[in-house]
Amino acid sequence: MATEVRVPTLGESVTEATVATWFKKPGDQVAVDDMLCELETDKVTVEVPSPVAGTLAEIVAAEGATVSTEALLAQINEGATASAPAKSTPAPAAQTTAVMVPVLGESVTEATVSTWYKKPGDTVTQDEMLCELETDKVSVEVPAPAAGVLGQILAAEGSTVQAGGQLAVIGGDVSSAAAPEPASAPAAKSHDVEDAPSAKKLMSEAGLSRDDVTATGKDNRVMKQDVQQAIVLATAAPQAAPVAPATPIRAAVPADDAAREERVKMTRLRQTIARRLKDSQNTAAMLTTYNEVDMTEVMALRNEYKDLFLKKHGVKLGFMSFFTVACCHALREVPEVNSEIDGTDIVYKNFVHMGIAAGTPTGLVVPVIRDADSLSFAEIEKAIAEKGARARDGKLSMAEMQGGTFTISNGGVYGSLMSSPILNPPQSGILGMHKIQDRPMAINGEVVIRPMMYLALSYDHRVVDGKGAVTFLVRVKEALEDPRRLLMDL
């Protein structure tokens, strides 16, 4: 009986693909889930497995052909190889499973392979961690898609991989696993595998040679997205040239000092933090206004109810929930602090997605508490505790760090007395909290000791005027010095 092999679902809004490569030819025996061919769309590369065991009888869509969803690719005669598995016990070992780069998040197209937990020849179970990828924002652990033996590592530690690229192969010939690392360089020049037809066409149109393109396809095959990436890099290179002189050149270091230095490559997260902070300074008309708040009432309220709060809600009552609620209260009165600039438009957010800056061993991240303006004190404290723990463990997803409308940064936990926080673009405001310190204050004509905290609001002067910034900070101060104002919505 003949079984049809058809084009699988290609993804949302994708209706057609190009047949890049056939891994089998008519007459070849195939097992269930053997890779038959590779399809290439505008966004990803899709491998088509065999739905049944048998013999590949006919290829209907040749390499280079354009096919639509559910179109007929080939036909397989079932039963022709019924005895093949019995005769050839190594057949299951020949089956391979590709380990691919997972979805990295919105606007993230590449990652760096930071660590391999397994080496070729190691036995792995399904969902066991194989390696860790590092993106601009988070670290992503890649689990094994199937149980078996890690046969080949295609992307070594330190290499850059594209979203949807192949990292390794589970199954197959383990002895060849070590070959790709030393042989990866010459493979680009002397390859026996045919590149994707669309890639060759695009290289010809762009005037690129194969040596100008980094291949990420199976068996070092150049795919269409590889050529597109090479074109982007080639286009960006001349634009980057004028910026180069702005980078200071490190002065020569005496030999005695150089021997005692340690040079460590910046992580992608650290590079992104550095770039975004500098971009924020260069783009926004950033200004900081300061005030101070008497924390007496908040501290008294917290001390009075912290035990009951913990008993009822199962989470400690901290200061962050007070500041979060106070900021949401102030943002309603001064909405421009909760806005952003989009071209020539100002986008006002009628909701508050509060970013809470958190320091981690790898750098600063800002998880977002969505709709913080509609949450209770307990819900805010639980969200902060949960996201803080995930941030420290490097488990935050991209979605958890996107979409913030305003940010709170608490440098006081490190002992900072005063600082000027830098905006988190495209946001227009960020509140800096600091250390609580007893200071003498003049209250009703008398000098008394009060627990005081300096507050700093950095804002984008392009959209927020001085009056609005000062009003916002005063409203936060008033709410914290008299928390009853929050209940009365004053």
Side-chain angles (χ1 to χ4, degrees):
M1 185 179 72
T3 298
E4 295 180 339
V5 180
R6 294 188 174 274
V7 177
T9 301
L10 301 173
E12 187 179 350
S13 77
V14 180
T15 58
E16 63 179 20
T18 300
V19 181
T21 309
W22 277 98
F23 304 131
K24 302 291 184 179
K25 61 182 183 295
D28 284 355
Q29 296 178 354
V30 295
V32 177
D33 292 332
D34 269 2
M35 287 304 128
L36 299 179
C37 68
E38 197 169 50
L39 305 180
E40 186 180 82
T41 73
D42 293 339
K43 300 179 179 179
V44 295
T45 299
V46 180
E47 290 183 332
V48 180
S50 173
V52 295
T55 302
L56 184 60
E58 181 186 6
I59 291 177
V60 177
E63 291 186 2
T66 299
V67 291
S68 57
T69 304
E70 294 299 326
L72 182 63
L73 292 169
Q75 290 189 330
I76 297 175
N77 288 334
E78 293 184 61
T81 59
S83 62
K87 292 192 294 181
S88 172
T89 50
Q95 292 186 358
T96 61
T97 301
V99 181
M100 311 298 288
V101 177
V103 176
L104 300 173
E106 183 182 349
S107 79
V108 180
T109 59
E110 64 180 21
T112 299
V113 181
S114 60
T115 308
W116 276 100
Y117 302 130
K118 298 292 182 180
K119 60 182 184 296
D122 286 355
T123 301
V124 298
T125 58
Q126 187 170 357
D127 294 330
E128 186 175 4
M129 289 304 125
L130 297 179
C131 68
E132 188 174 57
L133 306 180
E134 185 181 88
T135 72
D136 292 344
K137 299 180 179 178
V138 293
S139 294
V140 180
E141 290 185 333
V142 180
V149 176
L150 183 59
Q152 201 171 359
I153 291 178
L154 303 178
E157 290 184 4
S159 60
T160 300
V161 292
Q162 304 294 318
Q166 189 169 354
L167 293 167
V169 176
I170 296 177
D173 185 5
V174 178
S175 62
S176 64
E181 294 180 24
S184 59
K189 296 180 181 178
S190 56
H191 61 288
D192 299 326
V193 181
E194 192 73 13
D195 295 328
S198 57
K200 291 193 290 186
K201 178 182 177 183
L202 195 56
M203 278 192 290
S204 176
E205 294 174 350
L208 296 174
S209 67
R210 196 183 191 280
D211 292 338
D212 298 327
V213 182
T214 301
T216 61
K218 189 179 181 67
D219 298 327
N220 205 42
R221 182 178 292 105
V222 173
M223 310 305 293
K224 182 178 180 180
Q225 59 264 34
D226 299 335
V227 184
Q228 291 172 333
Q229 180 68 14
I231 294 173
V232 170
L233 293 175
T235 304
Q239 298 174 352
V243 183
T247 303
I249 299 175
R250 189 168 185 258
V253 178
D256 290 344
D257 292 343
R260 292 179 290 171
E261 292 181 344
E262 180 184 5
R263 184 180 292 266
V264 179
K265 183 177 177 60
M266 292 174 68
T267 63
R268 293 179 66 89
L269 176 60
R270 176 56 58 190
Q271 293 177 46
T272 301
I273 291 171
R275 186 182 67 252
R276 283 177 60 85
L277 292 179
K278 192 58 186 171
D279 287 346
S280 176
Q281 287 184 320
N282 294 340
T283 302
M286 192 161 56
L287 192 63
T288 305
T289 185
Y290 303 92
N291 212 317
E292 58 183 355
V293 57
D294 184 344
M295 296 292 290
T296 300
E297 294 299 326
V298 168
M299 293 176 70
L301 193 63
R302 177 174 177 267
N303 289 332
E304 182 177 354
Y305 292 108
K306 64 180 181 181
D307 293 334
L308 285 174
F309 191 90
L310 177 61
K311 182 178 179 180
K312 179 175 181 179
H313 300 293
V315 65
K316 292 182 179 179
L317 177 61
F319 292 120
M320 289 302 299
S321 54
F322 286 95
F323 278 86
T324 301
V325 173
C327 285
C328 291
H329 175 76
L331 289 172
R332 283 194 287 268
E333 182 173 344
V334 192
E336 58 265 32
V337 182
N338 196 44
S339 68
E340 67 179 60
I341 292 178
D342 182 16
T344 57
D345 297 331
I346 298 176
V347 182
Y348 291 94
K349 309 298 179 69
N350 298 320
F351 52 87
V352 180
H353 292 340
M354 187 67 72
I356 306 293
T360 72
T362 56
L364 181 72
V365 294
V366 187
V368 175
I369 300 175
R370 307 186 75 82
D371 295 311
D373 53 326
S374 63
L375 299 181
S376 66
F377 277 74
E379 290 170 329
I380 292 172
E381 290 290 357
K382 289 177 181 178
I384 291 174
E386 187 265 336
K387 291 187 183 296
R390 288 172 58 79
R392 289 188 294 273
D393 295 339
K395 303 294 185 183
L396 285 175
S397 67
M398 293 294 297
E400 291 176 289
M401 294 188 291
Q402 292 175 335
T405 63
F406 185 81
T407 296
I408 299 176
S409 176
N410 186 4
V413 296
Y414 305 110
S416 173
L417 189 60
M418 181 178 285
S419 65
S420 301
I422 299 178
L423 285 173
N424 184 19
Q427 297 172 20
S428 296
I430 177 171
L431 179 74
M433 297 168 53
H434 299 94
K435 177 183 177 181
I436 299 174
Q437 188 175 58
D438 287 344
R439 294 204 305 275
M441 302 296 294
I443 307 293
N444 297 325
E446 297 182 355
V447 176
V448 294
I449 304 299
R450 290 294 179 92
M452 304 298 296
M453 177 192 288
Y454 288 116
L455 298 180
L457 174 71
S458 292
Y459 59 98
D460 190 345
H461 213 344
R462 296 178 300 169
V463 63
V464 181
D465 292 330
K467 176 186 175 182
V470 173
T471 300
F472 172 88
L473 207 51
V474 168
R475 293 295 175 267
V476 172
K477 170 185 169 71
E478 291 174 344
L480 294 170
E481 291 185 339
D482 184 4
R484 295 173 298 180
R485 298 177 66 94
L486 297 175
L487 295 175
M488 300 297 173
D489 192 24
L490 298 176

